[in-house]
Amino acid sequence: MSDTDSQVTNAYFRETMLAQQTPPVTETGAIKWLRENLFPTWLNGIMTIVALYAIWFILSHIGPWFLNGIWDAQSLSECREIRDATLGPDASAACFAVISDRWQQLVFGFYPQSAYWRPTLAFFLMLAGLAPVLFGAIPRRWLTASMLTPFVIYFLLWGGSVWVPAFIALGFVVGGLTARVLGRLNQMVALIGTVLIVGLYWAFIAVPLANAVHSILPIGIMAIPSSEFGGFMLSVVIGMAAIILSLPLGIVLALARASDLFLVNKLAIGFIEIIRGVPLIVWLFTASLLLNYFLPPGTNFDLTLRVIIMVTLFSAAYIAEVVRGGLAAVPKGQYEGADSLGLDYWQSMRLIVLPQALKISIPGIVNTFIGLFKDTTLVVFIGLLDPLGLTNSIRASTDWNGIYWELYVFIGLMFFIACYAMGRYSMYLERKLQRENR
């Protein structure tokens, strides 16, 4: 190679390192984030400016109303006097004093104040009972305590004799023994026989037997009728009871609709289509007005329990369709694999098919539960005083006549917290199941 060629070749090599330089301003820090997320193109930039203006416009009008809120007053007129004296008559200020004055009524309704400890304890027992079911890290031995929690909660809320929930809980023991005995014959016979025997026990034996035992050994607490329930306590009682009961019932309906048995399939389809085809408010009026006509004369069936039953059936119809979609999404090879292992129908469903179907159905199930919990406000139309119904009672007093937005903001915030918690748990469960499948 000649010297000229060597000089030309060496001209492409750097003999010294360049000094480190700072990156361009547009490629680092806040400017980079703004350019990539808010102003990547001229169209996105215009939309960002419009959105920021809309946010500023809303906050500039709502912000002072919140920030100037008055919390210490005994009436709406006193709130206005405080506002005029401190901020001026034209100032925007919320009268949150109605929340501090009536929060007990919004939470507990007309429940006796001396018994507030009972729904409070029931709420924490509900959370403790749900924990072993919702979180796998808690030992499974606590599931037995979780199964007893609903009966303890019923006793705390309604009171009366302790023997009534005790003998109702005994029905599950009777059902378990019946299923074990009849299971030696045939699984379908065991299922039908268990349902019939437990239903007859609850209908004709449990309550009279509890009353007889109570006459000999009276143990109980003050009975509180459900007519005194109200506020968020009523919404939680109806919503959580319907959620807990509708999930297993919805799964059974989904399996029944997917069954090859003609009668079982058609009955499930008829139930689901009839329930879904009628608005919930109509079913609530049915529970309130018509259900007693189908009961024996002289029967006094608690209105809240009637509503819980009707809302449970309504939710179960929707859950059944969500779970049926999950069953349809399970690959056919999973069913064939269960058959190749020699598993019968119930074993294959319990061990292989249903776990996969329920995992697929988690978003739809939680979405149905959130809608159900919000729909508990419809009970106001049949005379039950949920939080929205109590706003009318609060405004009926001379002290708070004319107040609106403060009550609705508080109620909306409480419902948002509950629904947001359910949504976050759904996301947590989805992430957990994805990790376990890797």
Side-chain angles (χ1 to χ4, degrees), residues 15 28 52 56 63 108 129 139 148 151 156-157 170 196-197 304 307 309-310 314 389 392 420 425-427:
E15 297 180 354
T28 184
L52 291 175
W56 172 83
F108 298 104
L148 297 176
F151 305 100
L156 287 173
L157 293 178
L170 185 61
L196 289 177
I197 292 176
T304 302
V307 169
I309 293 173
M310 195 59 69
F314 186 83
N392 297 326
Y420 182 76
Y425 174 76
S426 172
M427 297 175 63

Side-chain angles (χ1 to χ4, degrees), residues 203-218:
F204 300 105
I205 300 177
V207 175
L209 186 60
N211 293 333
V213 175
H214 183 74
S215 63
I216 301 173
L217 190 60

Side-chain angles (χ1 to χ4, degrees), residues 30-95:
I31 296 179
K32 177 184 178 183
W33 185 90
L34 290 172
R35 185 177 62 83
E36 292 181 351
N37 294 277
L38 301 181
F39 302 97
T41 63
W42 66 268
L43 180 59
N44 287 346
I46 294 175
M47 295 176 63
T48 296
I49 294 173
V50 172
L52 291 175
Y53 175 77
I55 294 173
W56 172 83
F57 180 82
I58 294 173
L59 293 179
S60 63
H61 286 76
I62 298 179
W65 187 76
F66 277 99
L67 297 177
N68 297 331
I70 299 170
W71 292 88
D72 188 11
Q74 300 301 318
S75 65
L76 181 59
S77 58
E78 186 177 345
C79 264
R80 291 170 177 170
E81 292 174 1
I82 296 174
R83 180 201 62 185
D84 296 345
T86 57
L87 302 172
D90 297 329
S92 177
C95 185

Side-chain angles (χ1 to χ4, degrees), residues 40-199:
T41 63
W42 66 268
L43 180 59
N44 287 346
I46 294 175
M47 295 176 63
T48 296
I49 294 173
V50 172
L52 291 175
Y53 175 77
I55 294 173
W56 172 83
F57 180 82
I58 294 173
L59 293 179
S60 63
H61 286 76
I62 298 179
W65 187 76
F66 277 99
L67 297 177
N68 297 331
I70 299 170
W71 292 88
D72 188 11
Q74 300 301 318
S75 65
L76 181 59
S77 58
E78 186 177 345
C79 264
R80 291 170 177 170
E81 292 174 1
I82 296 174
R83 180 201 62 185
D84 296 345
T86 57
L87 302 172
D90 297 329
S92 177
C95 185
F96 290 123
V98 65
I99 306 300
S100 57
D101 184 55
R102 297 297 183 94
W103 71 269
Q104 293 178 333
Q105 189 175 357
L106 287 169
V107 174
F108 298 104
F110 297 104
Y111 209 80
Q113 190 170 1
S114 60
Y116 280 172
W117 64 271
R118 287 162 56 175
T120 304
L121 178 59
F123 177 76
F124 286 105
L125 283 177
M126 180 193 71
L127 297 181
L130 289 175
V133 180
L134 300 180
F135 302 101
I138 299 177
R140 290 300 175 184
R141 62 177 178 270
W142 292 103
L143 285 174
T144 304
S146 298
M147 295 174 63
L148 297 176
T149 301
F151 305 100
V152 178
I153 291 176
Y154 174 87
F155 174 67
L156 287 173
L157 293 178
W158 275 271
S161 173
V162 71
W163 301 111
V164 173
F167 279 97
I168 291 175
L170 185 61
F172 289 96
V173 179
V174 173
L177 295 176
T178 304
R180 179 172 296 182
V181 173
L182 297 180
R184 300 171 183 175
L185 303 176
N186 182 275
Q187 289 187 346
M188 185 58 65
V189 173
L191 178 62
I192 297 174
T194 301
V195 172
L196 289 177
I197 292 176
V198 173

Side-chain angles (χ1 to χ4, degrees), residues 1 18 33 53 62 107 141 163 191 197 247 280 290 338 375 380-381 416:
M1 180 183 296
L18 291 175
W33 185 90
Y53 175 77
I62 298 179
V107 174
R141 62 177 178 270
W163 301 111
L191 178 62
I197 292 176
L247 180 59
L280 177 58
L290 300 179
D375 285 344
V380 67
F381 295 107
F416 171 79

